[in-house]
Amino acid sequence: GLSSTRAAELLARDGPNTLTPPKETPEIIKFLKQMVGGFSILLWIGAILCWIAYGIQYSNDKSSSLDSVYLGSVLALVVILTGVFAYYQEAKSTNIMASFHQMIPQQALVIRDSEKKTVPADQLVVGDIVEIKGGDRIPADIRLLSAQGCKVDNSSLTGESEPQPRSCEFTHENPLETKNISFFSTTCLEGVAVSIGVLFFIIAVSMKYYVLDSIIFLIGIIVANVPEGLLATVTVALSLTAKRMAKKNCLVKGLEAVETLGSTSIICSDKTGTLTQNRMTVAHLWFDNQVFVADTSEDHSNQVFDQSSATWTSLSKIITLCNRAEFRPGQESVPIMKKAVVGDASETALLKFSEVILGNVMEIRKRNRKVAEIPFNSTNKFQLSIHETDDPSDRRFLVVMKGAPERVLEKCSTIMVNGQEQPLDRSTAKAFHTAYMELGGLGERVLGFCHLYLPADEFPATYSFDVDTMNFPTSNFCFVGLLSMIDPPRSTVPDAVTKCRSAGIKIIMVTGDHPITAKAIAKSVGIISANSETVEDIAKRLNVAVEQVNRRDAKAAVVTGTELKDMSPAQLDELLANHSEIVFARTSPQQKLIIVEGCQRQDAIVAVTGDGVNDSPALKKADIGIAMGITGSDAAKSAADMVLLDDNFASIVTGVEEGRLIFDNLKKTIAYTLTKNIAELCPFLIYIIAGLPLPIGTITILFIDLGTDIIPSIALAYEKAESDIMNRKPRHKKKDRLVNKPLAVYSYLHIGLMQALGAFVVYFTVYAQEGFRPSTLLNLRVEWEKGYVNDLEDSYGQEWTSYQRRYLEWTGYTAFFVGIMIQQIADLIIRKTRRNSIFQQGLFRNKVIWVGIASQVIIALILSYGLGSIVALNFTMLRPQYWFVAVPHAVLIWVYDEVRKLAIRLYPGSK
Amino acid sequence: DDQDEVNQNYLADEEEEAEEEARVMVVPDLEEEEEEEEEEEKEEEEKEEEESQTQETGSAWWQKWQIVNEYLWDPEKRMSLARTGLILVIYFFFYASLAAVITLCVYTLFLTISPYMPTFTERVKPPGVMIRPFAHSLNFNFNVSEPDTWQHYVISLNGFLQGYNDSLQEEMNVDCPPGQYFIQDGDEDEDKKACQFKRSFLKNCSGLEDPTFGYSTGQPCILLKMNRIVGFRPEPGDPVKVSCKVQRGDENDIRSINYYPESASFDLRYYPYYGKLTHVNYTSPLVAMHFTDVVKNQAVPVQCQLKGKGIINDVINDRFVGRVIFTLNIET
């Protein structure tokens, strides 16, 4: 190998053995982007207008107040804070992904200074000699110097699902094809920019007022109309959900994916590992002419089949002995099903199966010492081993064999029934075949087992067996039984599939497996429901040719990759449209993309699972790409919108549920946020039209939007689902938007207006009690705002200085603010549900709502009584009784909404 | 289409019900389907019309009547087509009832507020001060020899003092004893009498002897009044006094000021004020400052303050509470 110094030199020359990371947008650009999107532009305009307004004021009158400057600064501050917040959120979610990548730093065993050393894979340099053993990830592009039966999984690069043999011969010009080069799994994908677009409306107002007045008016309108806090709340709500989903093993990369997930209408799922447990498990046994079912659940604990028969004793012995798989040492405390095993999938399944039923397998094997063995190979299709028996009185050797059932049966002349050897006659052979076909038809891998006791006189204890010359009988065995294995579905999957079905989500299975296996799994998890048939099933039932069956009669379809290849897009569309239960078998990863595109042509929101590099195009094309966290390649993970940490299909459904919930809750949040916009906008309109002293100031509005309302609107994200969330059809992404007409109309024209009126009542109360009755206030605006009028008469003939009026105006702001705040509490409570009564949902189930309400009140109290003396904030200390003026209106809002909900429940069609 | 039918049933039921509010609830939802439905209806209408044309002319009127009738009320669908109208009506009722609720609220609220006495007066206290003549600015710039520069002050003062004419005061108001409050017990809504404040009290500044209020001689009169506040009473025995001095600069810039009435105070008999509804002819008491010897040809900032118990004249934010600042710049 290289010397360390030479390696260091090369490392310095060539750089680390890593792929150049995709070029990232500079952080500052990302940051600035957050500052100029959507509402931010509007607020910037507002801020600049403020400063311009001050400029005009200042040029007219040097002593003009600094209010506009304060306001402009506050607006700018709001934009910057929101931007910083959004940037921080995005950076955080990017970091989660980054940390995920680095969870398993790759190590390589390298020979340097003539010693084997473990170094991080990125420290490898040209000329290093690397040792690789089974299960390692290839740490770099390497040339094999020596290899023994080495096979590599190139699937992440080429999509070949079969492991490719690799040796030291140079076999092909193409580096991809030649056998002596293995590749570092590559990934080169640009990052996904996170951006949340929020709808907004601009009301442009042009009125023939003084430039200055209309500028200030415009700013007020802008500030009143822009839900400043919405971006922050939506981001927080989504990240809360993302966090909750991460706990449930769905890692969402972009926040908008959370929301898209809720609208998913088709899930294209892989089979292996996602729907199934990704390990062979014994599913059925056949002995004594009977089929027994074995427990295939994740922990295998409940093996209930009849184990009293003597045949089972023999069978279990063969299973135990004719097996080369072994547990890796040092796992005594690990549950059996989780222990690591050296051996192939079937043998592992058998080993674990027998370990669960019989106990210490290794001990049994030790007692029945193995004297010779023929390993399984594809020409023999059987495996055979010869053992001493653990019965001291029995000196015979036991030959045990397992293999493809038909090959095993060929070698048998007798069959064991209830522990007794019987000649293998036609009827028993027929029974065998029936059982074999039945189990094979379930898509299971079937193995046959037989044994033979060698006569002690012919084969004494000292007899030397030679597996090459086969100096022992290999026929006239006694057939003992069949055993079938399958990669069983995860136990949570059937429930998840049922849930999807009731949620109107179509599940399409896409697998590289054999159609029969695929169909069997699809049936067992419910992707193909129990009573639906494929075209082939119908043909078989009616006993007619497949072509004669009306394709539309079949609900289910199993389509192979070859069939898919020959299909035109129109045919695929027809297939997808006419069959509700579809399984694609023997498909290549490339075909997944075709399927996804087909689904998207149906106007569906498609979620696709994938793990290999080849799945990346499909993952990117899909509305929601879901990568597997355990088996997935880095390329798949970076192309995906979501990573399933446990590779479990059920987690996707959880994700969908969370997505729907957050969509519902965001709707509530937005409805809550939009409602008060009317209450904030009306004052400005009334101010201009009716000439009242300004009821609420711009800064006060900001305190509602960014102060009292923030926590309550986030609290709505914690709202539990209204019962029917997974019984609804998926939302139509284009038609059923977050902000739709009914929501806007109801928020603005109903509740919003009631709220505005309620707040005006508080405003009028304050003014009237201080001396200005509404009739006096009308058209008072111009006189009111004249700074030199210091003896303005009120309704009682009292005279007010301009500062006294200003102070009263601020009291009015505070009163209006408190009015809105009190009614927002009612708004918050009614927004908890969209259809159910509050009493059905439970007032106290969502504790966070109460935190929100408390925060609202406390913030308002602090603003009024704590900061009431700070002039720039325009808050004053309000008399305690004014806090309660709006309460009847809040109750009115609540009652009104309850009546609406009742109407909706009584006449559900109208929603 | 099931959904629509439910909607229609609902609407139909609604019409039978009087429950206003419940009706409104579904309106936003209905609106979306509205247009679609209307199109359907129009199509139907057209069909009907085609049919009617093929029939005899004798029944044409009947046909038309039926169409109109169906337009208004389709018995099969149990819905009215004049839906836009209906929705407008529903909205009208909704807003009308809202307005009613609000009016009721405001009305009941106002029942609790007396029209004679303001509920609270703490925002308007302590009293502010204002001067006359007043023309948008507190800078008195005028040239003695150019009447055009001061004529508007004279006009303003004359106009202001019309209400103080002796004849008018004697006719409307009573001569009440000085040095004590003019308290009028009795019901809130009873009309109150007001004390006389005659123009002649202002002597040299009354404009009676010198119709130019001293402006023509460079000795301007400026009247000062205290803002009215319902129920405000100065401390007994210690009437509120007015005192002026140079605000910034040399104190000798103003060598003498004559006050009228000579006490330079607001007599107690003008208090309390009972509000404009009952205290109709109340005339605010005045104090005239006659700046008889002020430095000419330079701006002199003057501050006039109220002095007395319970009077505040040093609020930083409000330069008109208990004091007033103006500049005199008399050119010769």
Side-chain angles (χ1 to χ4, degrees):
Chain A
L2 298 172
S3 66
S4 310
T5 46
R6 177 73 185 136
E9 272 171 37
L10 287 171
L11 186 66
R13 190 193 71 192
D14 298 338
N17 173 36
T18 50
L19 295 159
T20 325
K23 200 170 166 241
E24 285 193 10
T25 336
E27 295 294 305
I28 185 76
I29 300 274
K30 281 193 203 168
F31 182 68
L32 289 178
K33 259 189 186 165
Q34 301 288 358
M35 296 283 175
V36 292
F39 293 130
S40 309
I41 286 285
L42 271 179
L43 292 181
W44 278 124
I45 293 173
I48 291 165
L49 284 178
C50 279
W51 290 323
I52 292 175
Y54 178 72
I56 297 171
Q57 274 177 336
Y58 187 78
S59 62
N60 291 344
D61 176 10
K62 299 272 185 287
S63 65
S64 58
S65 74
L66 286 167
D67 281 1
S68 305
V69 178
Y70 292 145
L71 183 57
S73 315
V74 168
L75 287 179
L77 193 72
V78 165
V79 183
I80 291 170
L81 282 182
T82 322
V84 167
F85 180 77
Y87 171 76
Y88 168 74
Q89 281 294 340
E90 189 192 302
K92 217 165 76 177
S93 65
T94 319
N95 280 347
I96 294 175
M97 273 322 288
S99 64
F100 192 74
H101 276 298
Q102 281 153 15
M103 227 142 72
I104 320 149
Q106 212 182 344
Q107 299 284 326
L109 195 62
V110 64
I111 300 175
R112 279 193 191 158
D113 302 334
S114 311
E115 274 176 51
K116 285 186 190 176
K117 281 184 181 168
T118 309
V119 297
D122 60 358
Q123 301 291 313
L124 290 180
V125 294
V126 176
D128 266 334
I129 297 171
V130 183
E131 276 207 359
I132 298 157
K133 53 185 189 304
D136 281 356
R137 247 177 84 186
I138 310 291
D141 297 351
I142 54 171
R143 172 170 296 166
L144 296 180
L145 300 174
S146 75
Q148 280 171 329
C150 172
K151 286 182 174 182
V152 294
D153 182 358
N154 255 11
S155 65
S156 70
L157 210 61
T158 60
E160 292 161 282
S161 52
E162 288 293 306
Q164 304 292 307
R166 286 285 179 266
S167 60
C168 17
E169 300 111 56
F170 174 77
T171 54
H172 203 285
E173 288 287 328
N174 182 342
L176 269 176
E177 295 291 323
T178 186
K179 286 195 170 178
N180 62 349
I181 293 182
S182 302
F183 290 96
F184 183 55
S185 75
T186 52
T187 164
C188 137
L189 296 156
E190 71 267 35
V192 188
V194 181
S195 64
I196 300 167
V198 192
L199 282 169
F200 66 93
F201 308 95
I202 309 163
I203 297 179
V205 181
S206 58
M207 291 189 83
K208 293 276 174 190
Y209 268 87
Y210 297 115
V211 182
L212 200 66
D213 281 351
S214 47
I215 285 179
I216 288 176
F217 179 55
L218 188 70
I219 296 164
I221 295 272
I222 288 177
V223 173
N225 247 308
V226 173
E228 290 84 8
L230 195 59
L231 181 70
T233 27
V234 168
T235 318
V236 170
L238 284 175
S239 21
L240 281 174
T241 307
K243 227 179 218 171
R244 199 153 55 196
M245 282 166 77
K247 255 185 216 154
K248 292 176 182 171
N249 293 319
C250 303
L251 191 72
V252 184
K253 283 163 64 183
L255 289 181
E256 78 273 34
V258 175
E259 186 256 306
T260 317
L261 197 58
S263 59
T264 306
S265 56
I266 295 182
I267 301 176
C268 292
S269 174
D270 282 336
K271 179 180 84 70
T272 312
T274 312
L275 294 169
T276 66
Q277 299 169 17
N278 196 19
R279 61 191 160 124
M280 278 302 190
T281 308
V282 175
H284 294 94
L285 304 103
W286 181 82
F287 54 88
D288 293 346
N289 281 327
Q290 254 182 297
V291 173
F292 298 91
V293 181
D295 179 22
T296 55
S297 65
E298 268 86 343
D299 61 353
H300 252 26
S301 54
N302 195 19
Q303 302 291 0
V304 289
F305 63 89
D306 178 21
Q307 295 168 12
S308 58
S309 163
T311 318
W312 164 248
T313 320
S314 303
L315 183 60
S316 63
K317 200 165 216 173
I318 305 170
I319 295 169
T320 316
L321 297 179
C322 189
N323 193 334
R324 297 177 67 198
E326 282 175 25
F327 289 112
R328 287 227 174 115
Q331 308 186 77
E332 283 73 18
S333 56
V334 184
I336 294 166
M337 297 318 290
K338 295 230 170 80
K339 282 184 185 173
V341 175
V342 187
D344 72 21
S346 313
E347 296 226 304
T348 306
L350 293 173
L351 174 65
K352 287 184 174 173
F353 179 67
S354 45
E355 179 88 7
V356 165
I357 294 175
L358 303 174
N360 199 336
V361 169
M362 304 315 258
E363 186 56 40
I364 298 172
R365 286 200 199 155
K366 218 177 267 172
R367 277 188 269 125
N368 301 272
R369 197 174 64 85
K370 192 195 287 179
V371 290
E373 110 176 300
I374 303 174
F376 185 89
N377 69 50
S378 44
T379 29
N380 283 347
K381 289 199 169 156
F382 68 80
Q383 177 182 356
L384 177 149
S385 59
I386 304 165
H387 297 261
E388 295 169 351
T389 60
D390 52 357
D391 182 358
S393 58
D394 189 353
R395 308 304 302 166
R396 291 179 301 174
F397 284 105
L398 172 64
V399 185
V400 287
M401 182 200 270
K402 76 168 183 224
E406 64 276 8
R407 295 299 296 273
V408 168
L409 194 70
E410 277 170 22
K411 300 187 186 301
C412 295
S413 55
T414 56
I415 183 165
M416 185 179 278
V417 177
N418 297 329
Q420 304 301 313
E421 276 189 40
Q422 291 176 0
L424 190 67
D425 55 23
R426 194 171 283 265
S427 68
T428 42
K430 198 179 169 203
F432 160 85
H433 274 291
T434 322
Y436 181 27
M437 292 313 291
E438 188 190 330
L439 296 179
L442 292 173
E444 296 177 3
R445 186 186 293 176
V446 190
L447 289 176
F449 294 84
C450 62
H451 71 183
L452 178 68
Y453 283 97
L454 298 178
D457 44 348
E458 269 182 66
F459 299 96
T462 54
Y463 189 85
S464 133
F465 294 94
D466 185 348
V467 291
D468 292 325
T469 56
M470 305 267 252
N471 57 351
F472 49 88
T474 55
S475 60
N476 292 325
F477 278 65
C478 171
F479 190 84
V480 183
L482 291 172
L483 195 148
S484 69
M485 284 168 294
I486 197 162
D487 180 8
R490 289 167 180 270
S491 54
T492 46
V493 169
D495 278 347
V497 171
T498 322
K499 235 181 192 177
C500 279
R501 193 153 291 205
S502 63
I505 301 169
K506 190 164 153 181
I507 303 169
I508 294 177
M509 186 201 263
V510 183
T511 173
D513 264 3
H514 195 273
I516 293 176
T517 319
K519 191 177 162 191
I521 291 293
K523 279 213 149 160
S524 67
V525 298
I527 290 179
I528 295 181
S529 48
N531 51 4
S532 58
E533 296 174 307
T534 63
V535 174
E536 289 78 15
D537 289 334
I538 296 175
K540 204 167 153 197
R541 175 163 57 82
L542 300 174
N543 220 354
V544 293
V546 173
E547 291 75 30
Q548 286 172 295
V549 180
N550 182 358
R551 294 201 157 262
R552 297 185 178 233
D553 290 347
K555 234 173 113 186
V558 178
V559 183
T560 64
T562 23
E563 285 167 350
L564 184 60
K565 208 186 268 169
D566 299 333
M567 276 186 188
S568 67
Q571 281 173 309
L572 179 62
D573 288 351
E574 199 194 321
L575 176 83
L576 291 169
N578 292 334
H579 299 278
S580 57
E581 299 166 348
I582 306 175
V583 170
F584 289 98
R586 284 248 178 273
T587 46
S588 65
Q590 288 90 334
Q591 285 178 318
K592 221 183 224 174
L593 182 64
I594 300 173
I595 297 168
V596 171
E597 286 170 344
C599 293
Q600 282 176 335
R601 279 200 298 274
Q602 313 282 314
D603 229 6
I605 304 297
V606 191
V608 172
T609 67
D611 42 20
V613 167
N614 266 24
D615 290 331
S616 314
L619 291 177
K620 287 208 108 177
K621 180 78 196 164
D623 301 277
I624 291 278
I626 302 167
M628 296 299 137
I630 302 171
T631 57
S633 64
D634 287 350
K637 279 181 203 163
S638 44
D641 304 300
M642 191 173 118
V643 179
L644 283 190
L645 295 183
D646 61 352
D647 291 11
N648 192 346
F649 178 79
S651 307
I652 304 178
V653 182
T654 322
V656 171
E657 199 170 348
E658 289 288 345
R660 286 187 174 195
L661 179 60
I662 196 64
F663 183 80
D664 268 21
N665 286 349
L666 277 185
K667 252 186 137 130
K668 292 172 188 173
T669 303
I670 289 175
Y672 171 77
T673 313
L674 290 188
T675 303
K676 64 165 186 299
N677 276 8
I678 279 292
E680 292 167 355
L681 186 65
C682 283
F684 285 92
L685 298 176
I686 299 287
Y687 164 74
I688 290 292
I689 296 164
L692 301 182
L694 190 60
I696 190 166
T698 319
I699 291 181
T700 325
I701 289 178
L702 287 175
F703 270 107
I704 298 178
D705 286 1
L706 297 169
T708 55
D709 266 7
I710 286 282
I711 298 174
S713 45
I714 293 173
L716 281 172
Y718 284 95
E719 200 52 47
K720 298 276 181 302
E722 284 177 66
S723 50
D724 55 354
I725 192 161
M726 283 308 264
N727 289 328
R728 264 186 260 154
K729 291 269 161 287
R731 164 174 72 86
H732 194 289
K733 183 115 191 177
K734 289 193 191 97
K735 283 185 197 151
D736 194 1
R737 279 180 311 222
L738 206 51
V739 182
N740 54 12
K741 202 170 153 193
L743 184 141
V745 166
Y746 188 67
S747 297
Y748 279 141
L749 294 186
H750 292 214
I751 303 295
L753 215 72
M754 290 170 85
Q755 214 175 60
L757 287 173
F760 267 111
V761 170
V762 189
Y763 164 86
F764 281 130
T765 310
V766 169
Y767 273 83
Q769 295 207 331
E770 294 291 349
F772 290 92
R773 299 168 77 88
S775 48
T776 317
L777 284 179
L778 218 60
N779 285 322
L780 192 64
R781 187 182 80 91
V782 178
E783 283 296 304
W784 180 276
E785 287 180 350
K786 277 181 187 156
Y788 55 79
V789 175
N790 281 294
D791 50 359
L792 187 77
E793 252 187 56
D794 68 7
S795 314
Y796 296 92
Q798 306 185 99
E799 289 165 325
W800 294 68
T801 69
S802 104
Y803 186 81
Q804 285 168 340
R805 295 198 302 272
R806 270 259 286 293
Y807 199 78
L808 178 60
E809 192 177 313
W810 294 340
T811 312
Y813 293 177
T814 315
F816 208 92
F817 164 84
V818 167
I820 291 179
M821 188 275 293
I822 295 287
Q823 293 178 87
Q824 277 293 79
I825 293 177
D827 191 24
L828 182 65
I829 290 171
I830 65 169
R831 298 298 183 185
K832 275 166 69 78
T833 57
R834 291 167 62 201
R835 287 182 189 79
N836 293 351
S837 162
I838 295 302
F839 302 102
Q840 283 169 310
Q841 181 84 347
L843 253 179
F844 298 97
R845 259 171 70 197
N846 184 353
K847 302 272 185 305
V848 190
I849 287 279
W850 292 97
V851 174
I853 292 175
S855 79
Q856 250 174 332
V857 176
I858 290 168
I859 291 175
L861 285 171
I862 290 174
L863 284 175
S864 174
Y865 296 119
L867 307 175
S869 50
I870 300 173
V871 174
L873 295 183
N874 299 354
F875 279 96
T876 65
M877 296 196 192
L878 207 59
R879 285 175 183 278
Q881 63 263 39
Y882 294 143
W883 292 73
F884 299 97
V885 176
V887 170
H889 300 273
V891 174
L892 184 71
I893 288 176
W894 188 351
V895 171
Y896 175 72
D897 192 67
E898 277 297 322
V899 176
R900 177 192 70 100
K901 283 171 184 160
L902 183 72
I904 282 177
R905 286 198 301 280
L906 288 181
Y907 306 99
S910 52
K911 184 70 190 172
Chain B
D1 146 14
D2 286 350
Q3 272 205 341
D4 283 1
E5 208 165 280
V6 176
N7 277 349
Q8 289 148 17
N9 290 345
Y10 180 40
L11 252 188
D13 290 345
E14 258 180 22
E15 280 192 9
E16 286 151 21
E17 289 164 7
E19 176 73 61
E20 262 172 26
E21 296 208 69
R23 248 189 243 171
V24 188
M25 319 297 168
V26 272
V27 168
D29 312 325
L30 291 176
E31 270 186 342
E32 283 190 345
E33 291 154 37
E34 198 183 313
E35 285 177 38
E36 196 186 319
E37 300 245 338
E38 258 170 289
E39 275 167 32
E40 277 176 32
E41 301 286 337
K42 272 177 200 159
E43 278 170 21
E44 279 176 21
E45 234 178 288
E46 280 161 21
K47 271 185 215 160
E48 295 258 6
E49 264 171 313
E50 279 165 31
E51 280 170 21
S52 67
Q53 278 166 4
T54 59
Q55 290 191 2
E56 296 165 47
T57 45
S59 60
W61 281 108
W62 174 241
Q63 288 284 333
K64 275 186 184 169
W65 164 243
Q66 272 199 324
I67 291 163
V68 171
N69 200 22
E70 241 171 70
Y71 179 83
L72 293 171
W73 175 252
D74 183 343
E76 265 178 51
K77 289 185 165 183
R78 288 193 68 212
M79 64 155 292
S80 149
L81 183 83
R83 208 182 221 181
T84 326
L86 182 68
I87 283 160
L88 286 177
V89 169
I90 288 170
Y91 261 90
F92 176 77
F93 274 112
F94 170 58
Y95 289 132
S97 52
L98 257 186
V101 168
I102 297 302
T103 321
L104 193 76
C105 274
V106 174
Y107 182 73
T108 45
L109 193 94
F110 278 36
L111 288 182
T112 66
I113 298 174
S114 155
Y116 309 107
M117 288 287 287
T119 318
F120 306 113
T121 50
E122 91 282 0
R123 290 277 184 265
V124 73
K125 272 181 198 163
V129 170
M130 222 17 211
I131 50 170
R132 291 289 185 277
F134 181 71
H136 307 308
S137 151
L138 294 163
N139 298 322
F140 293 86
N141 293 322
F142 62 94
N143 194 323
V144 177
S145 51
E146 291 172 33
D148 281 354
T149 55
W150 46 261
Q151 198 61 47
H152 60 279
Y153 296 125
V154 174
I155 294 168
S156 165
L157 281 176
N158 257 323
F160 177 70
L161 289 175
Q162 283 309 309
Y164 291 86
N165 284 338
D166 289 15
S167 54
L168 191 68
Q169 288 291 324
E170 275 161 13
E171 184 191 333
M172 308 294 289
N173 294 344
V174 294
D175 189 9
C176 31
Q180 65 187 60
Y181 297 128
F182 184 46
I183 291 172
Q184 302 171 67
D185 292 322
D187 289 338
E188 240 188 358
D189 56 348
E190 235 171 64
D191 276 351
K192 305 288 192 299
K193 291 194 177 71
C195 280
Q196 294 175 355
F197 189 97
K198 292 183 187 166
R199 190 167 173 168
S200 54
F201 293 177
L202 300 175
K203 310 258 166 73
N204 287 340
C205 283
S206 64
L208 298 173
E209 288 146 36
D210 176 5
T212 63
F213 297 92
Y215 284 84
S216 57
T217 55
Q219 296 172 316
C221 279
I222 288 172
L223 308 182
L224 187 143
K225 72 178 177 70
M226 197 160 72
N227 281 353
R228 286 195 293 271
I229 294 166
V230 174
F232 174 77
R233 299 179 193 190
E235 288 293 310
D238 183 17
V240 178
K241 275 205 162 90
V242 177
S243 124
C244 295
K245 59 176 187 208
V246 177
Q247 190 216 5
R248 255 179 292 117
D250 189 358
E251 284 196 17
N252 296 323
D253 284 352
I254 302 173
R255 277 182 286 269
S256 83
I257 308 171
N258 293 338
Y259 297 94
Y260 309 105
E262 282 83 357
S263 61
S265 63
F266 301 102
D267 198 285
L268 286 182
R269 60 180 161 167
Y270 300 107
Y271 303 96
Y273 174 52
Y274 287 101
K276 81 174 176 191
L277 206 60
T278 50
H279 218 161
V280 184
N281 293 316
Y282 182 84
T283 36
S284 295
L286 304 169
V287 169
M289 288 94 68
H290 198 190
F291 294 90
T292 46
D293 194 358
V294 182
V295 172
K296 304 289 188 303
N297 298 323
Q298 107 181 41
V300 181
V302 185
Q303 170 167 275
C304 291
Q305 284 180 315
L306 300 184
K307 297 254 165 83
K309 262 192 190 167
I311 292 291
I312 296 166
N313 53 22
D314 55 357
V315 179
I316 298 162
N317 287 322
D318 195 341
R319 294 187 307 158
F320 291 90
V321 162
R323 58 176 166 164
V324 60
I325 297 162
F326 54 90
T327 50
L328 291 174
N329 189 359
I330 307 163
E331 287 166 29
T332 46

